[in-house]
Amino acid sequence: MPKRALITGISGQDGRYLTELLTSKGYEVHGILPCRAPGIGEAGERLYYADLADGSNLLSILEQAQPDELYNMAAQSHVKLSFDLPVYTADVTGVGVLRVLEAIRQYEKRGGNQVRFYQASSSEMFGKVAETPQTERTPFHPRSPYACAKVYGYWQTINYRESYGLHASNGILFNHESPRRGEAFVTRKITRAVAQIKLGRQDKLKLGNIDARRDWGFAGDYVEAMWLMLQQSQPDDYVIATGETHSVREFLEVAFGCVGIDWQNHVEIDPQFMRPAEVDILRGDASKARKQLGWSPRVPFEELVRMMVEHDLKLAMAS
Ligand code: NAP
Ligand code: GDD
């Protein structure tokens, strides 16, 4: 019998890489789509509609999918948007985790198989960082409604592990990007603009705080860490990061450099992209994951940026 996995947020960046990884490992992959997804009512085999703001059909989905592993990727994942939609973000990104955990508890209580649970926790939880680099022991200081919601989900995951013995783990993932990254995140916003500017279809790129620093890795590498966490006999929490930090400014330099253009001639600072509170710097220490999971990132920063620029250039030329 192949192992079965259920992925919430299967249509997102990580959901798509994870589906490919698990399929390559012989898993039968089931996925949850939010109700606003296209083709409504016709999700198809192994795809189910559920909204983490509702959760009333999660138990029934578990009974149909009978997963060995559940990866909770679904979230309102945009930090800036969370300032505009704080209650919605708290409901989906925070309480949504509790809805999934409670469905698993009920499922197991009713005689279902054991479900190993992965929670997509975030380096945003470190926020106004207490130390650099950040490890599993660094205290949280969330700086947005999104980060507060993620802290809630993180602790509920630990509570269900400690209270009910669930095999529940948190991956505290630092920023990870790819050609599949959502277009509203800064890396993809930049690489798409680079392609348009190179082709002479756009002149200016408006950005917010370009001095912010992030620890950017490749999403394809990071989903492997998620899977490794659920293969451990004991559940635990792990930081997943490259250990390097780069500013948005550096990202601009490398991305525009890929097509031989000086970014300074094209970038404008626009206050509408600033946040009420900023996370100035993130840099993770993934030593625990290296040691216990045998995980390490493969794609370096420059290669990641080039991969995204080349993808967006190809897309732009085809359109
Ligand atoms: P993403 O591309 O934004 O994907 C989020 C997924 O959640 C999408 O499939 C989305 O569906 C779905 N979703 C949104 N609202 C939902 C709702 N109310 N009910 C059910 N599903 C809903 O995010 P990602 O980059 O793949 O990240 C995956 C997870 O890791 C997220 O929880 C994110 O917060 C977390 N995380 C990401 C990073 C990162 O750097 N990428 C780092 C740390 C943690 P639609 O496609 O239809 O919107
Ligand atoms: N999105 C965006 N748009 N960000 C900008 C812009 C802009 O025009 N200009 C500057 N930035 C800065 C943001 O202020 C932030 O400091 C940095 O670029 C990265 O922003 P995002 O790419 O939106 O990512 P994020 O770091 O806020 O959040 C992402 O990573 C988290 C992990 O640390 C998301 O994927 C979260 O879901 C994830 O948890």
Side-chain angles (χ1 to χ4, degrees), residues 51-252:
D51 198 299
L52 288 204
D54 175 344
S56 55
N57 60 343
L58 287 174
L59 180 55
S60 142
I61 292 172
L62 281 169
E63 283 167 350
Q64 292 171 70
Q66 299 181 10
D68 300 293
E69 296 169 12
L70 193 160
Y71 297 85
N72 186 37
M73 300 293 145
Q76 189 304 91
S77 76
H78 200 276
V79 174
K80 172 101 180 3
L81 184 59
S82 78
F83 286 100
D84 301 326
L85 295 172
V87 177
Y88 175 75
T89 303
D91 197 11
V92 172
T93 306
V95 182
V97 183
L98 177 60
R99 294 187 177 102
V100 177
L101 286 164
E102 187 52 24
I104 294 175
R105 186 172 83 87
Q106 293 299 332
Y107 173 72
E108 291 187 359
K109 214 164 110 183
R110 291 175 186 204
N113 57 289
Q114 191 204 38
V115 182
R116 293 187 175 195
F117 176 78
Y118 172 86
Q119 168 56 15
S121 287
S122 168
S123 53
E124 275 292 303
M125 301 189 301
F126 297 121
K128 192 164 190 256
V129 298
E131 60 183 0
T132 296
Q134 295 86 46
T135 73
E136 293 80 4
R137 292 171 307 284
T138 304
F140 298 143
H141 185 145
R143 296 268 279 172
S144 64
Y146 167 82
C148 292
K150 283 289 181 186
V151 171
Y152 178 83
Y154 169 91
W155 280 114
Q156 284 294 9
T157 300
I158 292 176
N159 268 298
Y160 271 66
R161 179 164 87 209
E162 293 177 352
S163 306
Y164 306 117
L166 251 63
H167 190 294
S169 299
N170 283 291
I172 307 172
L173 270 56
F174 283 62
N175 297 51
H176 45 280
E177 318 295 311
S178 75
R180 294 173 180 169
R181 184 57 142 152
E183 294 166 8
F185 298 94
V186 77
T187 55
R188 190 78 198 287
K189 183 173 169 183
I190 293 171
T191 59
R192 274 167 51 85
V194 166
Q196 294 299 323
I197 291 169
K198 176 69 182 170
L199 297 181
R201 297 178 189 164
Q202 183 179 331
D203 184 38
K204 295 295 178 202
L205 166 62
K206 293 183 177 182
L207 293 174
N209 175 18
I210 61 172
D211 293 317
R213 304 184 71 86
R214 290 291 181 276
D215 180 331
W216 278 298
F218 172 52
D221 290 346
Y222 284 38
V223 295
E224 207 178 334
M226 299 174 188
W227 175 74
L228 283 167
M229 285 176 217
L230 296 204
Q231 309 318 304
Q232 307 307 303
S233 56
Q234 294 304 316
D236 207 342
D237 310 313
Y238 299 89
V239 159
I240 300 299
T242 69
E244 281 183 28
T245 187
H246 298 274
S247 63
V248 175
R249 200 180 277 274
E250 285 170 64
F251 194 102
L252 284 165

Side-chain angles (χ1 to χ4, degrees), residues 248-304:
V248 175
R249 200 180 277 274
E250 285 170 64
F251 194 102
L252 284 165
E253 263 160 28
V254 178
F256 278 82
C258 289
V259 296
I261 294 177
D262 183 351
W263 67 273
Q264 305 204 55
N265 296 329
H266 298 277
V267 172
E268 281 178 1
I269 303 304
D270 184 336
Q272 72 162 304
F273 297 111
M274 301 284 186
R275 297 164 183 194
E278 179 61 283
V279 172
D280 296 324
I281 176 167
L282 290 174
R283 180 162 77 84
D285 175 354
S287 303
K288 179 177 171 183
R290 277 180 206 271
K291 202 166 149 212
Q292 285 179 220
L293 305 177
W295 178 86
S296 55
R298 292 196 192 93
V299 178
F301 177 70
E302 280 79 10
E303 196 180 317
L304 172 65

